[in-house]
Amino acid sequence: ARPVFRVNVLGPDGADRHYYARTLCPSGLEASAAIPFAANDAPGPWKITARDVLTGTTATTTVRLEATP
């Protein structure tokens, strides 16, 4: 079966940003996606979590957005 990954994004306040969520269906075990952060998104740490829908395995990373002048 082909893997299916669900990517969710939480803002610095911990709220789900559903408009940045993605479902990826790669042909192999690796996938990539761009998250088009906006200039007016809140600065601070944003949490990105990818979950394998079949196994439930997750991977999480954090990116820090800087305030725009």
Side-chain angles (χ1 to χ4, degrees):
R2 287 180 60 181
V4 177
F5 301 115
R6 180 66 182 170
V7 178
N8 291 305
V9 179
L10 301 179
D13 59 358
D16 181 40
R17 299 304 201 272
H18 62 88
Y19 43 86
Y20 287 140
R22 302 279 186 271
T23 300
L24 307 174
C25 301
S27 58
L29 294 177
E30 293 184 17
S32 64
I35 299 172
F37 290 109
N40 63 344
D41 277 334
W46 287 65
K47 184 175 164 182
I48 303 167
T49 301
R51 180 177 57 87
D52 183 319
V53 174
L54 181 62
T55 67
T57 302
T58 62
T60 302
T61 192
T62 301
V63 296
R64 178 171 292 280
L65 297 185
E66 301 294 330
T68 54

